[in-house]
Amino acid sequence: MLNKKVSYQGKESIWSYVIFLKVRELAHYLTSKKEKLDFVKPEYEIERIDSYDIRQKILSISYVDWKKLGFSKGTLHYMKQNAKSDKPFTLNSHVLERVKAWENLVSGG
């Protein structure tokens, strides 16, 4: 998440750099070098991929179909454990692509 890009001060920066700038801004505020402090901008947005639909898709994938897509049984096993739990989880982009490919494979698209 810290490598996600965000528009800040008129240019695209990654979150880790924006956090660095905000910490420096806080230091300047605490040492009276700066009178204003703004932690509202840029606004942090979380894009969750562990929606109910994704969880249901993961739970409905068979191990045979998953193997056809080139992944191991263990990967699907842990994904199914995550999908069953109430906790948020993430998927690597290539795994998410395979989940979507499986959906197209099943629906005939």
Side-chain angles (χ1 to χ4, degrees), residues 66 71 91-99:
W66 191 245
F71 280 105
L91 295 173
N92 292 334
S93 59
H94 68 285
V95 174
L96 183 58
E97 288 173 18
R98 298 278 173 101
V99 170

Side-chain angles (χ1 to χ4, degrees), residues 23-85:
V23 168
R24 186 170 63 186
E25 186 179 326
L26 175 62
H28 286 176
Y29 176 78
L30 294 174
T31 59
S32 301
K33 290 182 180 179
K34 194 170 188 175
E35 292 183 19
K36 266 182 138 178
L37 187 60
D38 181 17
F39 281 132
V40 176
K41 294 180 184 173
E43 187 174 326
Y44 187 73
E45 295 177 17
I46 298 176
E47 185 179 316
R48 291 188 56 167
I49 60 166
D50 62 333
S51 66
Y52 176 79
D53 291 337
I54 290 291
R55 289 174 185 267
Q56 293 306 310
K57 287 174 191 171
I58 290 170
L59 292 172
S60 65
I61 297 173
S62 73
Y63 286 100
V64 173
D65 288 342
W66 191 245
K67 187 81 170 173
K68 287 179 187 174
L69 291 173
F71 280 105
S72 72
K73 186 172 105 174
T75 302
L76 183 58
H77 172 76
Y78 286 110
M79 285 173 41
K80 285 183 181 243
Q81 282 186 333
N82 288 335
K84 287 177 187 175
S85 77

